[in-house]
Amino acid sequence: MSSIVQQAPEVRINLSAIKKKRINLVVFGHGNVGGKLIDQLLQSAAEVSRRKELDIRIVGIANSTSMIVDDHGFTDSWRTHKSDKGAKYRLQDVIEFVKSETLDNLIAVDNTASSDFVENYEYLVKNGFHIVSANKIANTLPYTKYEDLRKTLSKYRRQFLYETNVGAGLPLIDTIKLLHNSGENIIRIKGVFSGSLSYIFNVFSEGNRTFSSVLQSAMKQGYTEPDPREDLSGKDVARKLLILARELELISNLEDVNVQNLIPNDLRKVSTNEFLKRAKELDIPYLIKLKNQKEGYVLRYVADLHGDLSKEDGGKLEVRLLSVPKNSVLGRLEGSDTIFEIYTENYAKRPLVIQGAGAGAEVTARGVFGDILRLSEKL
């Protein structure tokens, strides 16, 4: 008996016809970081579409006063469009818009530094949004509010990514989460967490410039906030340290962080303009600190999480100006780099070190972009 073997008909797949996964973004805040993020997203759209099979569209752009929306997404002319067509809005208008256009895979991107806006996170989550945020405030709210947000995220099965809250675009929070969740006992996290203060003390420690001139240089390069006391107060570093402590499930609040404020008392409450006019008053005190060090030492503004980190209330959180050996890991820091030393039971003597650019809107925007891509691939 003979048998006939028939060749199966050739099946051709038109890859260009496969529907790409569409992601819909509403971006809140389009200033320094937010504006650069929008530009990066638009410039990379074709490449992301080709490599990731993702159609990422910005369907809403807002600041504190006005918003534009378009279910087809925006182009490079978004600034002109926002200036010409931006209208006052309520957050409810955003919800009604995405529902009327039946948009899904929704991500709200918070590029603001607003304590008011983070109060909207739960409302956004309950109405279908995932959250990506460069804003540290949500993660440093009183612990009860911090937990409430996590419960809401879990209930509605939504994601909240915030890698840029600490270390700008460095893969720090993801690394700490991976170590902690895999059972690696983290026993200490230490480092220079502020790109602006890293630059200031790296340059000042060279010993050939006044403190006020270095501060002015940091401002001109965009490393500090418009009022540099936001950086010099240590509050920003304290927030970052608290965020990392909470990643280790420590029950801590901002007031638990022991912070050394670098601003003299009589300059803390004056106007920004007056502070800048009187900045030279910092020169002598900091010159004394510089000269009083041991030979071969340099100044660094260091955050340190230590103690018994296996207990919910066992962590000690400290932020202070230290004198460290110039040939140490912290002492060799240059430019505006930040550095994080992660000590665990298996990395007790030789810590895991993560180092890189810690200041700049481009770097932060790129980190937010990375969170958007990671989240988009999960949806």
Side-chain angles (χ1 to χ4, degrees):
M1 180 180 294
S2 63
S3 60
I4 299 175
V5 178
Q6 291 184 320
Q7 184 174 346
E10 182 179 359
V11 177
R12 295 185 178 183
I13 300 174
N14 182 1
L15 292 176
S16 64
I18 296 176
K19 188 175 181 180
K20 298 181 190 296
K21 179 171 34 172
R22 177 171 170 179
I23 308 297
N24 297 291
L25 307 181
V26 179
V27 178
F28 296 92
H30 53 82
N32 205 12
V33 172
K36 286 179 170 57
L37 171 66
I38 294 169
D39 291 338
Q40 289 175 3
L41 286 164
L42 294 174
Q43 290 162 10
S44 303
E47 185 67 8
V48 170
S49 177
R50 183 184 69 81
R51 294 179 61 189
K52 301 288 187 180
E53 295 292 330
L54 292 172
D55 176 15
I56 299 179
R57 299 190 194 184
I58 304 169
V59 298
I61 301 173
N63 59 13
S64 60
T65 58
S66 65
M67 168 173 269
I68 47 173
V69 293
D70 189 329
D71 68 302
H72 296 295
F74 292 97
T75 64
D76 292 341
S77 61
W78 67 269
R79 287 181 175 84
T80 302
H81 193 157
K82 178 70 164 51
S83 177
D84 294 343
K85 304 290 185 181
K88 291 182 179 180
Y89 73 102
R90 303 164 302 159
L91 204 59
Q92 184 180 342
D93 298 329
V94 179
I95 305 303
E96 291 173 356
F97 163 71
V98 297
K99 287 183 177 178
S100 68
E101 300 297 336
T102 61
L103 301 178
D104 56 9
N105 290 336
L106 299 166
I107 303 176
V109 185
D110 180 9
N111 297 307
T112 75
S114 168
S115 56
D116 292 330
F117 187 76
V118 301
E119 299 292 337
N120 298 316
Y121 282 14
E122 290 197 49
Y123 178 71
L124 287 165
V125 167
K126 290 174 182 178
N127 283 279
F129 280 89
H130 302 271
I131 308 288
V132 168
S133 179
N135 187 343
K136 304 176 189 67
I137 294 174
N139 284 321
T140 57
L141 291 170
Y143 195 81
T144 51
K145 286 191 174 184
Y146 175 87
E147 283 230 299
D148 286 344
L149 175 58
R150 264 71 190 166
K151 289 174 183 177
T152 301
L153 288 162
S154 177
K155 179 179 179 180
Y156 290 88
R157 297 182 180 179
R158 291 295 179 265
Q159 298 286 318
F160 175 28
L161 273 64
Y162 44 89
E163 184 66 73
T164 54
N165 276 196
V166 188
L170 297 177
L172 176 69
I173 291 176
D174 275 355
T175 301
I176 288 172
K177 280 183 176 178
L178 181 61
L179 289 169
H180 182 66
N181 292 337
S182 66
E184 181 73 25
N185 186 22
I186 295 175
I187 57 178
R188 189 177 197 179
I189 302 174
K190 179 183 177 183
V192 174
F193 289 12
S194 166
S196 56
L197 293 177
S198 177
Y199 172 84
I200 289 168
F201 286 107
N202 292 345
V203 175
F204 181 63
S205 289
E206 293 173 5
N208 53 10
R209 294 179 60 181
T210 63
F211 188 86
S212 61
S213 71
V214 176
L215 179 61
Q216 188 176 43
S217 177
M219 292 180 66
K220 284 182 178 178
Q221 294 183 65
Y223 291 150
T224 73
E225 296 296 326
D227 184 343
R229 288 175 297 181
E230 292 292 317
D231 304 277
L232 295 170
S233 69
K235 289 180 182 178
D236 183 63
V237 177
R239 289 186 186 279
K240 293 175 181 179
L241 189 62
L242 176 61
I243 290 167
L244 296 187
R246 287 177 170 180
E247 292 301 320
L248 302 184
E249 300 179 77
L250 299 178
I251 299 178
S252 300
N253 285 298
L254 205 52
E255 56 267 25
D256 298 322
V257 187
N258 184 2
V259 184
Q260 180 182 355
N261 191 325
L262 300 177
I263 309 162
N265 287 329
D266 59 342
L267 291 178
R268 291 180 187 178
K269 295 184 179 180
V270 300
S271 68
T272 303
N273 286 337
E274 184 176 350
F275 170 75
L276 296 176
K277 287 178 182 177
R278 296 173 57 186
K280 289 185 178 180
E281 294 178 22
L282 299 170
D283 291 346
I284 297 301
Y286 280 97
L287 179 61
I288 292 171
K289 291 179 187 294
L290 188 68
K291 297 300 183 183
N292 282 347
Q293 297 181 105
K294 296 178 183 177
E295 186 176 350
Y297 276 62
V298 289
L299 294 171
R300 297 292 184 261
Y301 195 65
V302 178
D304 192 358
L305 171 62
H306 57 105
D308 187 351
L309 306 189
S310 64
K311 296 180 179 179
E312 289 182 341
D313 59 351
K316 294 182 180 179
L317 294 81
E318 297 178 327
V319 178
R320 51 197 170 146
L321 186 63
L322 297 178
S323 179
V324 302
K326 191 172 183 177
N327 62 359
S328 66
V329 174
L330 298 183
R332 289 193 294 268
L333 205 58
E334 296 181 347
S336 63
D337 276 9
T338 53
I339 189 167
F340 303 85
E341 296 179 307
I342 304 170
Y343 296 81
T344 75
E345 288 183 341
N346 290 319
Y347 293 96
K349 294 183 179 179
R350 294 179 61 86
L352 177 64
V353 177
I354 298 176
Q355 178 178 347
E362 287 281 357
V363 172
T364 303
R366 190 63 65 181
V368 176
F369 194 161
D371 273 350
I372 291 169
L373 284 179
R374 278 192 288 274
L375 179 50
S376 297
E377 291 175 339
K378 293 178 182 179
L379 301 183

